[in-house]
Amino acid sequence: MTPKTILNADLHCHSVVSDGTLTPEALAERANANGVELWALTDHDEIGGQHRAAAAAKALGMHYLTGTEVSVTFAGQTVHIVGLGFDANDPAMQQGLRNTRGGREQRAMEMSDSLAKAGIKGAYEGALKFVGNPELISRTHFARFLVESGVCRETPEVFRKYLTEGKPGYVPHRWANLRDAVTWITEAKGIAVIAHPGRYKFTPNEEYALFTEFKSHGGRGVEVVTGSHTPQEYLKYAETAKEFGLAASRGSDFHSPDESHTDLGTLPYLSGELTPVWELVADRIQ
């Protein structure tokens, strides 16, 4: 594939292998139906769905890039780094992601204990019903339980009342560090991308430090157009991409037909003045 600058690429979404509700095959069909030309499945801290996703994309005639979304702790916050175009069979990357997943079960038990103290019993068992991969139990699965059990009407209400700092059910987790995450991706011949930077609650100085350190470790891209960004943030992070010499990425961060307000393939196109990430990994497109 010789990638075009203006392309309906969706390089950020999740399947049942992490915290999405659709299989890799169903996501591929949805992306294809929505006109996606280049797709990547980016499950959290997991690449177990990559071969299925690539095979499904190939069967539909859709181009594919390997993907994952690595959880990182930076300046006391969780930051997500998307990896694209890497070798999914790379042993060092597989081990690094395995180590990152390792702390989730203990964290989930502590979250359940915290909710029990607030009068919500059985949250761990309830969340497990929504988990495709027990290694990847997350706040999203607890949120689905809280909606199903009638504690909250919808997931945004969950995150206003529970599971966030200072609220019942919140338990911090120490993830990988930024250097390790970028190194796993780049040494597996992929490129590292800062996911949805507009979501983080950094001061301007902290955000500048994030981009500076990310670039120094070999990071090469930033999500400019993504499901949680506003039109103003599209413009802001387009400028940030140019300031730091980073390529721009585009992805819906789609999780579920019932929960995600941005569907696969429905975002605005990247500005033609930006370098799209797919130009950097053109030789890795399947």
Side-chain angles (χ1 to χ4, degrees):
M1 179 189 183
T2 302
K4 302 173 291 186
T5 300
I6 304 300
L7 189 68
N8 190 348
D10 199 315
L11 305 178
H12 188 162
C13 66
H14 302 274
S15 76
V16 292
V17 176
S18 65
D19 60 345
T21 61
L22 300 182
T23 63
E25 293 80 6
L27 279 172
E29 289 177 8
R30 192 178 186 97
N32 187 60
N34 286 355
V36 172
E37 299 166 86
L38 175 63
W39 178 53
L41 172 65
T42 57
D43 281 314
H44 290 284
D45 306 311
E46 175 63 90
I47 50 180
Q50 288 305 303
H51 296 297
R52 289 171 62 186
K58 184 177 181 180
L60 292 162
M62 185 168 55
H63 292 289
Y64 188 74
L65 275 171
T66 52
T68 189
E69 186 175 18
V70 187
S71 307
V72 165
T73 300
F74 184 86
Q77 291 191 47
T78 299
V79 169
H80 291 149
I81 303 298
V82 165
L84 296 170
F86 52 82
D87 175 5
N89 297 312
D90 183 80
M93 185 168 187
Q94 289 177 342
Q95 186 59 50
L97 294 176
R98 196 174 297 122
N99 293 344
T100 299
R101 295 194 299 269
R104 285 182 182 265
E105 185 174 11
Q106 179 59 38
R107 178 184 182 230
M109 300 290 275
E110 292 176 21
M111 288 165 67
S112 183
D113 289 345
S114 174
L115 289 168
K117 289 173 183 170
I120 301 166
K121 309 294 185 186
Y124 179 74
E125 294 74 17
L128 274 180
K129 290 192 297 182
F130 297 95
V131 177
N133 179 351
E135 278 193 335
L136 288 169
I137 188 168
S138 72
R139 292 190 311 160
T140 304
H141 301 119
F142 280 90
R144 289 177 187 146
F145 162 72
L146 291 173
V147 171
E148 183 208 44
S149 57
V151 175
C152 295
R153 289 186 301 278
E154 56 185 4
T155 49
E157 182 185 349
V158 173
F159 290 110
R160 287 196 299 273
K161 296 181 178 178
Y162 302 96
L163 310 180
T164 53
E165 192 165 6
K167 304 294 173 79
Y170 176 75
V171 178
H173 186 94
R174 290 292 303 178
W175 304 112
N177 65 48
L178 185 61
R179 178 196 295 272
D180 286 346
V182 174
T183 299
W184 298 335
I185 294 163
T186 55
E187 291 192 350
K189 300 186 170 55
I191 61 166
V193 177
I194 296 176
H196 42 59
R199 273 181 41 181
Y200 311 126
K201 307 302 181 192
F202 287 133
T203 65
N205 283 345
E206 288 169 336
E207 183 176 84
Y208 186 85
L210 169 65
F211 277 88
T212 302
E213 188 172 324
F214 173 76
K215 183 89 185 282
S216 75
H217 296 322
R220 299 188 65 192
V222 57
E223 279 185 352
V224 172
V225 176
T226 184
S228 56
H229 279 184
T230 64
Q232 291 79 14
E233 286 170 333
Y234 299 158
L235 297 172
K236 173 182 176 181
Y237 290 106
E239 290 304 313
T240 303
K242 288 187 280 188
E243 178 186 354
F244 284 91
L246 296 172
S249 193
R250 174 184 191 262
S252 58
D253 200 4
F254 180 84
H255 283 71
S256 164
D258 300 321
E259 298 169 11
S260 299
H261 58 78
T262 303
D263 206 347
L264 287 154
T266 61
L267 289 164
Y269 288 102
L270 289 177
S271 164
E273 63 186 12
L274 299 171
T275 300
V277 291
W278 48 87
E279 290 190 358
L280 305 187
V281 284
D283 61 332
R284 306 305 302 269
I285 295 173
Q286 301 177 38

